[in-house]
Amino acid sequence: MMLRLGDVAPNFKVKTSSGEVDFYEYLGDSWGVLFSHPADYTPVCTTELGRTAQLKPEFDKRNVKVMALSVDSVESHQGWIKDINETQNCVVNFPIIADESKEVAEAYGMMHPNASATFTVRSLFIIAPDKTVKLIISYPASTGRNFDEIIRVIDSLQLTAYHSVATPADWKDGEDVVVSPAIKTEDIAAKFPKGFTEIKPYLRMTPQPNK
């Protein structure tokens, strides 16, 4: 079955480049990013894992733990990590799952047979502290992910999780947000003391509440 938004992310216990890991225990009360790679020693994946390592301070700031997946072995991962560190000027600082059985890939719907019968596509899942899936993005094997967008989406998800707002098109951290339609206009002032602008009765904007 394909995972959908709002589903509980399956737990798993696996071998990784950092030893054996229970996914739920690894996440704890943090948000999580789980993302797959078609295979070790592939060029686009090498740049992606390097970029992820470089962004660790940004993930830490947002209470996000990262875990990658490839269908190759732990030994293969260890050799690949040396190449990633060397070529991407980083230190890989998160586990890479050795999903040789493809058990995790199947549970998360990372295998797309019409794209490849043997390799995972570039799937990415953002998982909330309650272990529900909040975002799913799948890229073809040839297209590297936009990590600025991933950070932006995490900011949006966390903002909407803790405040009664949504984020408009092309929103970036620090910009105005949309007041939830569930909040009556007469109640906005009490909940959002920074004020609001009513563009239409259903479209009310307010400054980002956590800034």
Side-chain angles (χ1 to χ4, degrees):
M1 290 179 62
M2 186 70 72
L3 278 179
R4 294 179 173 86
L5 299 182
D7 288 351
V8 175
N11 193 26
F12 50 81
K13 295 180 181 180
V14 287
K15 294 180 180 178
T16 79
S17 57
S18 302
E20 291 194 7
V21 172
D22 178 290
F23 187 50
Y24 277 14
E25 289 182 2
Y26 173 74
L27 291 181
D29 294 328
S30 300
W31 289 71
V33 171
L34 174 67
F35 62 127
S36 58
H37 300 270
D40 290 0
Y41 297 102
T42 49
V44 177
C45 302
T46 299
T47 64
E48 288 188 330
L49 291 176
R51 183 62 179 142
T52 303
Q54 293 166 358
L55 286 170
K56 187 177 190 302
E58 296 300 318
F59 288 122
D60 288 348
K61 188 191 304 180
R62 293 163 174 82
N63 189 31
V64 175
K65 292 183 179 177
V66 175
M67 185 178 287
L69 175 147
S70 175
V71 297
D72 293 310
S73 68
V74 168
E75 292 73 23
S76 176
H77 290 354
Q78 297 290 3
W80 186 29
I81 286 170
K82 293 178 182 177
D83 283 1
I84 296 167
N85 291 342
E86 176 189 343
T87 63
Q88 305 304 305
N89 191 30
C90 69
V91 176
V92 171
N93 40 35
F94 51 88
I96 305 175
I97 299 166
D99 194 28
E100 294 180 273
S101 68
K102 300 183 175 68
E103 181 179 350
V104 179
E106 294 287 358
Y108 277 78
M110 296 171 175
M111 307 296 298
H112 292 208
N114 291 331
S116 171
T118 56
F119 296 119
T120 56
V121 297
R122 295 184 194 285
S123 294
L124 182 142
F125 302 83
I126 295 178
I127 299 164
D130 66 359
K131 307 302 184 288
T132 57
V133 176
K134 296 300 184 186
L135 179 89
I136 303 171
I137 309 175
S138 290
Y139 292 80
S142 58
T143 302
R145 283 169 267 238
N146 183 328
F147 283 86
D148 289 338
E149 170 64 2
I150 292 164
I151 293 291
R152 188 189 79 89
V153 170
I154 291 169
D155 285 340
S156 173
L157 289 169
Q158 293 186 342
L159 183 64
T160 59
Y162 306 131
H163 304 275
S164 300
V165 297
T167 55
D170 296 330
W171 173 86
K172 295 181 179 65
D173 187 42
E175 296 178 348
D176 287 358
V177 295
V178 177
V179 177
S180 170
I183 298 178
K184 296 178 180 179
T185 299
E186 57 266 30
D187 296 333
I188 294 177
K191 190 169 182 64
F192 298 101
K194 294 180 181 179
F196 72 99
T197 302
E198 182 177 309
I199 300 169
K200 290 287 184 181
Y202 60 86
L203 178 56
R204 294 86 49 87
M205 306 296 294
T206 188
Q208 185 171 326
N210 63 346
K211 290 290 183 180

